[in-house]
Amino acid sequence: MLLSTKREEQRGAAESSLLHLIARFEATGSAVEVNFRQLMSSDGSTNKSAHAIHPYPAKLLVNIPQFFLAALPTVSGSALLDPFCGSGTVLYEGMLAGLRPIGSDSNPLARLITTAKLTPLDRAIARRHLDEVMAAYPSASPNIPDVVNRDYWFSERISDCLGRLKTAIQRNVPAPYRPVFDVSFSATARRVSYADPRLSVPVKINPDRSARYGAKGDEVIRRLVRLGEVDVGALFWSIASQNIQRCPELGQLFAVDRPEIFSDARSLGVAEASVDLAITSPPYVGAQKYVRASSLSLGWLGLTPDCKLRPIERQSIGREHLAADEALTSSGTGIPEADALLEEIVERNPLRARIAQRYLLEMRDALSELSRTMRHDGNLVLVVGPNLVAGLEFPTPFFLQRIAEGLGFSTKLHLLDSIASRGLMTKRNRTAGLIQQESVFLLKRVRTGA
């Protein structure tokens, strides 16, 4: 009763705050600065929830979807779409709010984590499967898949232990329970690698450079010593036990038992005009290293055949690399300001110009598909930040807002939220810059045709 009352109070406060913010935006025509941590304070259980089941990078600040889910009108069981769902922050919060989660992500690790977070399980049965895995692990034959530069990132002993764990999981865990076990296995593999734990993208710990590690340098070097003695099985058991407790319990009143998760935001298996609410944070233009950050996990999960990451990256929007045939398109992006900026970027760095233009073209396709799925008067919350491309400011929020408005959306609110620390991998290279502030748009679907 107390929890229900608290939620109603939060909803009332959020609705009032949103109306006030919209009024300020309409009165000034300028973006309104906010602090979502203060606007929607967490209930204190966030770190113990399913959001913590895996150290996936660049997670969306949970306060943002919590605020809009509380402030916007929703109908229990209606669809909530996140076409760039990452590790499922938006969809998990939506499921807790009684909505039906629909997501998409090009990274198979992201899809796996999201599925694990959103799939209710019988915890007693899951723990029994964990006991069976641990009983089989010591004598299992190691199954070691293609892992990029495996000998560089893992000792032979640890590779053998991970291979035996993989075999034990495959033989003892049925399909409905595999996501949480595979996610736990992925997190274990990262923990027992030679990768610097402070960084999202794998960078090998180098004892000869300890002076560069700053105040935590000794702690980072001691990690290498601990890796020589770590009990891989015990570590996996600890991570899996916690994750089983974090995942939703079978029998809880969720809108669906299995979420809908697709692999391409440009081609969603969703009926036309069937979504009332979408909340999403698209990738940044050539600034995020999602695939490289996932490389060790992807390899141990058997998702990088022939040790190649490029096939996965080629499916991504905002990727680091382009194929030779992905040339600069002479017809442009359809946004005059973007085309003018791209002409300047070409003079400095033709490759970066190609990456930026391809990003906008592919985001147009993704937003067009999102527009197709949205109902008239449906709400879209779009979270996106600017960054530098070849040393020039690239106003991605403005460009994506223009694209969305051309596809049948109207801007109802523009907020600015400072980024304190969200694990963002935004310093792609020396010309990419760091993202200090995000734009959060509330857009409404106003036309039936794009």
Side-chain angles (χ1 to χ4, degrees), residues 98-155:
L99 303 184
R100 178 167 58 88
I102 303 173
S104 172
D105 204 283
S106 61
N107 190 328
L109 177 61
R111 297 197 298 272
L112 173 66
I113 298 169
T114 297
T115 300
K117 289 168 71 168
L118 301 184
T119 303
L121 49 80
D122 186 316
R123 291 175 183 159
I125 294 177
R127 293 188 186 99
R128 187 163 69 242
H129 291 318
L130 179 57
D131 290 340
E132 292 167 352
V133 168
M134 299 313 300
Y137 158 68
S139 59
S141 297
N143 175 5
I144 301 178
D146 290 332
V147 180
V148 179
N149 297 325
R150 179 174 60 82
D151 293 340
Y152 181 81
W153 294 109
F154 301 91
S155 70

Side-chain angles (χ1 to χ4, degrees), residues 146-190:
D146 290 332
V147 180
V148 179
N149 297 325
R150 179 174 60 82
D151 293 340
Y152 181 81
W153 294 109
F154 301 91
S155 70
E156 196 59 37
R157 180 187 73 86
I158 285 178
S159 287
D160 179 77
C161 291
L162 289 173
R164 286 188 281 117
L165 263 178
K166 185 174 179 65
T167 298
I169 292 169
Q170 290 173 331
R171 292 181 177 176
N172 293 278
V173 182
Y177 289 83
R178 278 294 294 276
V180 67
F181 279 82
D182 286 344
V183 165
S184 301
F185 176 71
S186 163
T188 302
R190 179 61 192 251

